[in-house]
Amino acid sequence: SGSSNFYLAQTNPCRIASLPGVTLYADNMSENNGVETQVLHPGSRLLFRHWEALRGALPCPSRAHFKLDAVRTIVPQLFILEPDPRSLSHRYRLAGTGLTEFYGYDATGRDFLENWDPFERQVQLKVLKTAIRELQPALIRSRHLTDTGEDIGVEVIALPFSLPKRG
């Protein structure tokens, strides 16, 4: 297979003033450690179940087989990341309207980790790189402070997809 991208679900759209990352939980999920019990948000579960059905016995499904119609209720919260060799990070290839509302701007083309402090950035980068290398889902949970001072939880599930070989 070719290289991998991610579809990710941002499950708590809410505009934020800053990303302090009060608490960060990040885990690469293997097939045998109870993924369903780790994933809390119904939208993340829906996306994970669709990904699992597509992959079957493969390490990860092909992006060509992903159908937005199967997860239409969470499409606004979906976004696609791709590795960015220039920044050694990941950038938003596409950001749903829910993510735009969450940030208050369109994140397409921007660095996924630009608002995180150096430690949290490194933790998330390691989790994403491991998910690509191992072709396994990853779960990231964090706490954020909204522009109204509300402390909210965010759950992101990163699901690798294979891309067709080029040339």
Side-chain angles (χ1 to χ4, degrees), residues 25-30 33 38 123 127 131 137-141 156:
Y25 166 86
D27 185 28
N28 284 95
M29 304 181 307
S30 70
N33 69 352
Q38 293 180 45
V123 169
V127 169
L139 185 67
I140 300 170
R141 284 195 203 114
V156 175

Side-chain angles (χ1 to χ4, degrees), residues 54-69:
L54 291 175
R55 87 172 175 160
L58 300 172
C60 73
S62 168
R63 195 175 90 190
H65 295 123
F66 183 79
K67 303 295 182 219
L68 286 176
D69 195 48

Side-chain angles (χ1 to χ4, degrees), residues 36 56 88 92 132 165:
E36 282 290 324
L88 302 177
Y92 291 99
I132 289 174
K165 289 185 179 180

Side-chain angles (χ1 to χ4, degrees), residues 38-78:
Q38 293 180 45
V39 180
L40 299 178
H41 194 276
S44 295
R45 286 179 187 240
L46 173 69
L47 186 61
F48 177 73
R49 286 183 192 128
H50 181 58
W51 183 86
E52 279 279 284
L54 291 175
R55 87 172 175 160
L58 300 172
C60 73
S62 168
R63 195 175 90 190
H65 295 123
F66 183 79
K67 303 295 182 219
L68 286 176
D69 195 48
V71 294
R72 69 181 159 274
T73 58
I74 61 167
V75 166
Q77 283 72 46
L78 292 181

Side-chain angles (χ1 to χ4, degrees), residues 113-132:
L113 302 172
E114 71 183 357
N115 293 316
W116 294 90
D117 74 25
F119 173 78
E120 291 160 339
R121 183 180 176 90
Q122 288 306 311
V123 169
Q124 291 195 47
L125 192 55
K126 181 179 177 184
V127 169
L128 294 174
K129 285 182 176 182
T130 301
I132 289 174

Side-chain angles (χ1 to χ4, degrees), residues 76-134:
Q77 283 72 46
L78 292 181
F79 54 94
I80 300 172
L81 293 182
E82 61 186 359
D84 182 1
R86 294 171 306 193
S87 69
L88 302 177
S89 186
H90 292 77
R91 69 177 180 85
Y92 291 99
R93 181 174 178 165
L94 183 67
T97 57
L99 189 68
T100 299
E101 290 172 13
F102 181 80
Y103 282 131
Y105 58 82
D106 183 5
T108 301
R110 296 179 77 147
D111 183 346
F112 172 63
L113 302 172
E114 71 183 357
N115 293 316
W116 294 90
D117 74 25
F119 173 78
E120 291 160 339
R121 183 180 176 90
Q122 288 306 311
V123 169
Q124 291 195 47
L125 192 55
K126 181 179 177 184
V127 169
L128 294 174
K129 285 182 176 182
T130 301
I132 289 174
R133 185 180 64 247
E134 302 294 327

